[in-house]
Every structure is written in structure tokens, then in C-alpha cells.
Amino acid sequence: MNNGLSTDHLLGIKYLTKEDIDLIFQTADSFKGVINRPIKKVPALRDVTIANMFFENSTRTKLSFELAEKRLSADIINFSSGASSVSKGETLVDTVNNILSMKVDMVVLRHPIPGAALFLSKEVDARIINAGDGTHEHPTQALLDAYSIKEKLGEVAGKKVAIVGDIKHSRVALSNIYALQKLGAEVMVCGPTTLIPKHIAQLGVRVEHNLKEALEWCDVANMLRIQMERQDISYFPSIREYTMQYGLTKKILDGLGKNIVIMHPGPINRGVEITSEVADSDQAIILDQVENGVAIRMATIYLLAAKIDRV
Ligand code: CP
């Protein structure tokens, strides 16, 4: 008997159980069926209103949440910090409470400060979904990544996944580590010493500094971009040198003697962490990840909406 999610909010993968993730995946399977029908919509959340609050730039996550909400027939409002009264000094809590007083039930929050979603969940009366909080977590990205691995390889358990690049500044890396481990995968992080947090091995991940060794080991390589916007000092001599050591080319892939799956959360910096030839190859499932993002976000919103008192 399934009693729904164990949590009232989606703040991070850290706070989900394996059963929660399995339930989100099962629900996403149903919604994937819906979004591939001629009429890509269900009336499930006609009585729910959701505010999408983005304090940081986004293409994929923002549009994917908005589409997921529309496919569920929820009412939505979109908030961008640049065009708001935040610039006049209003706090996050005051801003959100003003929005909630317009009878909003759920907030999807992207914010540059780690812990912003957790903080908000304690301060306001609404379901909160973390759409990326600084360098901390990006739970729906990790869910759609793991779901895409399952779809491609049949299972996540037992698979070897290498996360390559700027691990230090990546919320995608941390959320992926939690999600993949909860589902029984082995995880390796690979990158220059300066871009790998010192104590990351304590999370039970392997650490590798040689790209070819990482690729020889893994079934799936998740290539991350360098998060220049979060770096106030230089962590490597130049982009060119980073690319020479960690850029994934077709020549490297073809030299492996096996077919690995290539993932990327986007946005891609073509020619830096991955060449166009690899990003557009049959081994890459980058656009499948984006497609699955809508089903995963529909599932997450739907399951959290069940926690709202709607009478
Ligand atoms: N993957 C991801 O979070 O992309 P956006 O920053 O475009 O939302």
C-alpha cells in the first residue's frame, strides 16, 4: 500500500527515501504516457495554484516546471527577481508571504543561496520545491537524470556513473550522488583536484583525476560545465588547458572499446567539456533528459499536491 511521499516538500534528494524516488519514477511513467498523447494534459490539479520564483537564470528548469504545471492544469504565476520589488529591499519571506496571500499553494524556488528552499519551508505555509539552491542541491535534475539512466539501461542499481567536471560548484553533482547511491549505483567524481571538494570521498564516491580512467570505469558519464559564475578565483590555468585534460571528444569515446552513455544537465559549453560531435552523437541522451524532466516534475508536483489541504 503506497501512502505517498514521506516528505511535505522537495528540498533535496538527501531528504528522500528510496521508496519516495521509486514512487516518483512510477508516477513519472504514467505522466510520460500523458505527454506523448495528442492531448497532453490531465485535469488533476485544476484547484492548485503554483508560483514559480526564479532568483537566478534558467532555461530548462523554469520552462520544464511551467510546462509540467500546465500539463497538470494547475494555475501558475511566474516571478523573476529582476522585475520585482526585491530590488527595493523586500525580504524573501515577505515576498513569498505576499504571493501566498493571493491563495497560492506551492512555490518552486530557484535561488543562489544554498539552503534557501529549506529556510523558506520553515518560514511560510506552502509546499516548497527546490529548483536549485546555489551550489547545494538540484533535486529534480538528479531525479530526471537517474530516471533517464533507468530508461536507457533498464536499471540504476549496479551501474557505474562518473560525474565529470566542476564538482565543487555543482548542485547537480551533489544531488546526483545522493540519488544514484540511494538507487544502488556506484558513483565516481572526476576532475582537477581544485574542482573536487576535499572531503567528498566521505560520501562514499570514488575520486579520479584522469578522464580516460574514469571513462574506462563507467557505464555512464555525466559531463558538467565549469560554473564560471560561481568562481571568484581561478581553479585551473585556462579553459584551453581544462579542455585538453577533461574535454570529452569523439576520439576519446571511440578509443574506449565499449559504448558508454553520455549525459549533460545543460547548459552545454560546446567545445569546452564536450565537443558537438559527442553531444549530438547516438551515445548522448541529453535531449531525453530534458524530455523526461517534464514527466519527473509533473510527478513531483502531483505527489506534493496530495499533501495540500484542498477542501
Ligand atoms: N539543468 C539546468 O538546471 O538548466 P537551467 O539552468 O537552464 O535551468
Side-chain angles (χ1 to χ4, degrees):
M1 171 77 181
N2 153 27
N3 291 316
L5 294 176
S6 67
T7 172
D8 289 345
H9 311 277
L10 179 61
L11 304 175
I13 302 289
K14 186 177 177 181
Y15 307 106
L16 296 183
T17 62
K18 179 181 182 301
E19 290 67 34
D20 288 332
I21 299 175
D22 288 339
L23 177 60
I24 292 170
F25 284 9
Q26 282 162 23
T27 313
D29 285 342
S30 306
F31 287 133
K32 197 156 175 189
V34 170
I35 59 182
N36 280 298
R37 291 190 324 214
I39 296 173
K40 305 171 176 57
K41 220 171 156 126
V42 287
L45 300 193
R46 274 190 310 197
D47 54 342
V48 171
T49 305
I50 303 174
N52 298 312
M53 303 189 64
F54 280 68
F55 290 80
E56 243 191 17
N57 294 342
S58 169
T59 299
R60 278 146 292 271
T61 312
K62 189 168 188 287
L63 295 179
S64 180
F65 267 112
E66 192 173 331
L67 207 49
E69 292 151 3
K70 287 179 171 166
R71 303 279 193 237
L72 290 165
S73 304
D75 285 326
I76 62 172
I77 51 173
N78 290 316
F79 167 97
S80 295
S81 58
S84 74
S85 289
V86 168
S87 59
K88 300 174 194 164
E90 193 169 49
T91 66
L92 176 63
V93 171
D94 279 341
T95 302
V96 174
N97 272 329
N98 274 273
I99 289 169
L100 294 183
S101 67
M102 301 178 209
K103 309 298 175 204
V104 167
D105 305 292
M106 197 180 289
V107 173
V108 175
L109 179 73
R110 172 167 285 195
H111 201 280
I113 305 298
L118 175 65
F119 167 74
L120 202 58
S121 72
K122 293 177 196 281
E123 297 291 326
V124 304
D125 183 19
R127 303 302 117 208
I128 306 295
I129 298 181
N130 180 4
D133 58 334
T135 55
H136 180 222
E137 279 225 40
H138 192 348
T140 55
Q141 180 69 48
L143 290 167
L144 74 89
D145 289 342
Y147 184 83
S148 301
I149 293 173
K150 184 167 185 262
E151 185 179 69
K152 183 74 182 174
L153 299 179
E155 280 281 8
V156 177
K159 297 293 180 266
K160 294 176 176 173
V161 182
I163 306 172
V164 181
D166 183 358
I167 311 299
K168 191 181 184 79
H169 301 96
S170 174
R171 55 194 174 210
V172 174
L174 187 60
S175 287
N176 261 269
I177 290 168
Y178 287 138
L180 292 166
Q181 288 183 336
K182 283 177 195 232
L183 294 171
E186 282 185 72
V187 183
M188 172 185 280
V189 293
C190 174
T193 314
T194 49
L195 288 179
I196 297 204
K198 267 197 194 102
H199 304 293
I200 197 153
Q202 288 175 6
L203 292 178
V205 299
R206 292 167 186 250
V207 178
E208 175 60 64
H209 300 295
N210 182 296
L211 177 64
K212 281 189 192 159
E213 296 287 336
L215 298 176
E216 293 285 359
W217 174 84
C218 72
D219 304 303
V220 178
N222 195 351
M223 305 302 295
L224 306 183
R225 88 187 156 87
I226 303 292
Q227 307 231 342
M228 289 298 187
E229 73 276 24
R230 300 192 205 282
Q231 299 183 12
D232 44 12
I233 59 167
S234 294
Y235 289 86
F236 45 85
S238 69
I239 289 282
R240 195 155 159 257
E241 273 154 291
Y242 177 84
T243 299
M244 281 166 66
Q245 284 200 52
Y246 294 101
L248 182 54
T249 63
K250 192 79 171 55
K251 189 174 169 206
I252 296 173
L253 262 193
D254 290 347
L256 293 177
K258 63 172 182 176
N259 256 9
I260 62 169
V261 177
I262 305 302
M263 302 176 71
H264 196 304
I268 293 174
N269 286 149
R270 288 174 183 262
V272 179
E273 70 275 8
I274 191 168
T275 61
S276 283
E277 225 185 343
V278 175
D280 301 332
S281 72
D282 288 344
Q283 280 170 256
I285 59 165
I286 297 167
L287 293 180
D288 300 317
Q289 292 172 255
V290 178
E291 181 184 338
N292 288 333
V294 178
I296 282 289
R297 290 180 174 114
M298 285 175 81
T300 306
I301 293 164
Y302 176 80
L303 291 165
L304 286 176
K307 307 270 179 173
I308 301 169
D309 185 3
R310 286 154 76 184
V311 278

